[in-house]
DNA sequence: TAGGCCATCTGGTCCT
DNA sequence: AGGACCAGATGGCCTA
């Protein structure tokens, strides 16, 4: 999130309009380098189109941001690229589908349904600290750049990597609770630890109704 | 310093 | 005609 704020404040390339022409130097028009072009559009029209494009891309970025915060287990200030967000959302959907089709953890464990890959669902815990991590608590300097740096649930459920709260979750897991309930419980513990209130799995499933808000 | 990620600008294309 | 959408290109920032 901090990164996104920085980007908003970051100075971007400015338009070089000299005597009604546009310098193409430094922009994406190598075929127009070292010469000026006469604008087909009036500057006012071009500026308006640019503004619309910026607004459109902001909507797209907000949609990515909302998608990221909709994913349970992903703190809102986690640094995820757009590509990572799409990958996580995709694997999360696949995970939910597997849970629905196969009927919960009693018949399909996270281990079997989720091969240990760097960008798989669920993921949550940071490898370095072996504990639940919120990048807002580390001043943003040492937060993982992306989920690539993080464990998935399978990693978390192995004894050697467990914090007390994770062992508690492991107990829940061994009791063959429904997987969604397990993850909800895990997430509630995380919320209690951090004093925050992110959406849980169940509410995450409601994100479809939020697309209208993206505008 | 290289590579990744992002915002921005721009012209082309499609749609209303 | 005007707006939405898209892809290519570029520079800035950040991290390993």
């Amino acid at each position: 999130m901090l990164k996104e704020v920085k980007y908003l404040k970051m100075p971007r390339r400015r338009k070089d309009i000299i005597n009604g022409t546009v310098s193409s130097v430094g922009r994406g028009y190598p075929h127009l380098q070292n010469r000026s072009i006469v604008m087909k559009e009036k500057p006012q029209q071009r500026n308006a189109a640019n503004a619309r494009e910026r607004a459109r891309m902001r909507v797209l970025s907000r949609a990515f941001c909302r998608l990221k915060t909709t994913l349970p287990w992903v703190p809102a200030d986690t640094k995820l690229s757009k590509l990572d967000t799409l990958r996580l959302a995709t694997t999360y959907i696949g995970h939910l589908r597997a849970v629905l089709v196969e009927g919960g953890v009693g018949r399909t464990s996270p281990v079997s349904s989720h091969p240990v890959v760097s960008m798989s669902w669920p993921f949550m815990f940071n490898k370095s600290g072996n504990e639940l991590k919120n990048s807002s608590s580390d001043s943003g300097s040492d937060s993982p750049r992306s989920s690539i740096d993080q464990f998935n649930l399978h990693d978390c459920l192995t004894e050697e990597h467990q914090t007390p709260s994770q062992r508690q979750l492991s107990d829940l897991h061994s009791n063959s609770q429904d997987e969604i309930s397990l993850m909800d419980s895990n997430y509630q513990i995380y919320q209690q630890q951090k004093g925050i209130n992110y959406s849980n799995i169940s509410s995450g499933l409601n994100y479809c109704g939020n697309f209208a808000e993206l505008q």
Side-chain angles (χ1 to χ4, degrees):
Chain A
M1 185 63 73
L2 180 62
K3 185 179 180 180
E4 293 172 10
V5 172
K6 283 183 179 178
Y7 273 121
L8 288 176
K9 294 180 178 178
M10 184 191 308
R12 291 294 169 186
R13 279 173 290 131
R14 59 182 175 81
K15 201 171 186 177
D16 296 320
I17 300 179
I18 304 172
N19 295 329
T21 64
V22 175
S23 169
S24 61
V25 176
R27 288 205 293 270
Y29 300 88
H31 59 294
L32 297 177
Q33 295 281 344
N34 301 322
R35 68 187 179 100
S36 296
I37 58 172
V38 179
M39 296 183 71
K40 291 180 179 178
E41 298 175 290
K42 296 175 182 177
Q44 261 184 325
Q45 287 178 316
R46 191 62 257 174
N47 289 337
N50 291 345
R52 286 194 302 271
E53 180 67 8
R54 284 196 300 271
R56 195 180 70 85
M57 297 310 293
R58 273 196 296 271
V59 170
L60 186 63
S61 293
R62 277 201 298 270
F64 270 103
C65 186
R66 186 178 291 262
L67 176 61
K68 185 186 76 173
T69 57
T70 296
L71 291 171
W73 298 71
V74 181
D77 51 0
T78 300
K79 292 177 181 177
L80 283 181
S81 70
K82 292 177 179 178
L83 181 59
D84 285 350
T85 301
L86 287 178
R87 284 170 172 166
L88 272 176
T90 300
T91 55
Y92 177 46
I93 291 170
H95 168 71
L96 292 178
R97 178 183 295 142
V99 169
L100 287 173
V101 170
E102 301 176 29
V105 72
R107 274 157 281 181
T108 172
S109 69
V111 177
S112 61
S113 60
H114 300 286
V116 181
V117 294
S118 60
M119 189 57 63
S120 65
W121 191 270
F123 82 104
M124 180 64 193
F125 301 98
N126 182 269
K127 203 168 194 171
S128 59
N130 283 341
E131 63 184 25
L132 293 163
K133 183 162 185 175
N134 183 336
S135 59
S136 65
S137 62
D138 59 10
S139 304
S141 57
D142 296 324
S143 60
R145 177 166 178 80
S146 75
S147 57
I148 290 172
D149 301 322
Q150 299 176 344
F151 280 150
N152 65 16
L153 185 58
H154 175 224
D155 296 320
C156 303
L157 293 176
T158 59
E159 284 284 341
E160 56 183 322
H161 294 129
Q162 285 178 340
T163 65
S165 62
Q166 289 165 1
R167 277 190 288 274
Q168 179 181 352
L169 294 169
S170 183
D171 291 340
L172 288 173
H173 182 261
S174 62
N175 288 336
S176 298
Q177 281 205 356
D178 178 85
E179 188 172 359
I180 289 181
S181 298
L182 166 67
M183 295 173 70
D184 273 344
S185 300
N186 195 351
Y187 205 65
Q188 287 167 8
I189 292 171
Y190 173 64
Q191 290 175 1
Q192 290 168 6
Q193 287 182 341
K194 294 300 177 181
I196 56 177
N197 185 25
Y198 295 123
S199 60
N200 58 20
I201 295 278
S202 303
S203 63
L205 290 172
N206 295 327
Y207 72 86
C208 296
N210 294 333
F211 279 116
E213 301 174 16
L214 297 176
Q215 301 292 330

